[in-house]
Amino acid sequence: MNKEERISRAVAFFKEGYNCSQSVVAAYADMYGFTREQALRMAASFGGGIGRMRETCGAACGMFLLAGLETGCTEAANREGKGENYALVQQLAARFKEENGELRCADLLGLSKKEPVVSTPEARTKQYYAKRPCVKMVETAARLWGEYLEEKGKL
């Protein structure tokens, strides 16, 4: 599957009702040996800006989760490995922010600081998709991850 197909897959997952993080991770899960269900579970808590708290964009979090699967350090004392992963996450975050102006969910959605944090997800209606830039965020994160993989010759 090529990058464009994976981007389309991520957007399709989002439009099916999966959260932004789940959609990005599930689009690439097979490359890392995860089933769709495993990917959906591991990314479930990051939607809506991490648990719908409107912090770091869930689509970006999904991309960062994939970065960990790709370059994450598995030895506690491996400072160099940790640094390489952190550098990749910072690079991806900078590119995401450069393209979208923000990295924080609330800022991307134009929400005020007075709006309460609630756990109930919004209904996925035509109005939801029309007023929220989330499809674009999912598309951006899936594309940026695909570009990274292409640069490394892995996609």
Side-chain angles (χ1 to χ4, degrees):
M1 191 177 308
N2 66 32
K3 176 182 73 182
E4 297 307 320
E5 290 168 324
R6 292 196 183 270
I7 295 167
S8 294
R9 190 177 193 192
V11 170
F13 284 141
F14 187 73
K15 288 183 175 179
E16 284 177 34
Y18 294 106
N19 75 37
C20 45
S21 187
Q22 288 175 310
S23 300
V24 173
V25 174
Y28 288 94
D30 61 301
M31 293 183 68
Y32 300 98
F34 290 99
T35 66
R36 179 176 163 174
E37 181 180 345
Q38 289 169 322
L40 295 171
R41 286 184 187 273
M42 81 170 89
S45 300
F46 299 99
I50 307 173
R52 207 166 185 279
M53 293 184 294
R54 305 305 192 199
E55 294 300 331
T56 304
C57 171
C61 287
M63 179 175 59
F64 303 151
L65 194 151
L66 292 167
L69 293 173
E70 185 71 26
T71 66
C73 184
T74 58
E75 295 179 26
N78 185 351
R79 291 173 36 115
E80 184 179 318
K82 289 177 187 178
E84 288 174 14
N85 175 254
Y86 295 160
L88 174 58
V89 169
Q90 290 170 11
Q91 175 189 30
L92 292 166
R95 289 179 66 190
F96 186 93
K97 189 172 180 179
E98 180 182 306
E99 289 191 25
N100 298 297
E102 303 291 343
L103 186 59
R104 191 169 165 267
C105 176
D107 297 333
L108 289 164
L109 296 178
L111 300 176
S112 73
K113 295 184 188 283
K114 296 177 185 176
E115 295 184 46
V117 172
V118 296
S119 60
T120 308
E122 291 177 75
R124 295 291 184 86
T125 62
K126 283 186 178 185
Q127 292 80 15
Y128 172 88
Y129 292 110
K131 72 177 182 175
R132 298 281 193 229
C134 301
V135 170
K136 180 182 181 232
M137 300 306 113
V138 167
E139 189 175 82
T140 299
R143 180 180 46 75
L144 290 174
W145 188 247
E147 289 172 359
Y148 168 80
L149 293 175
E150 283 179 337
E151 289 168 12
K152 297 297 180 186
K154 295 184 177 191
L155 188 64

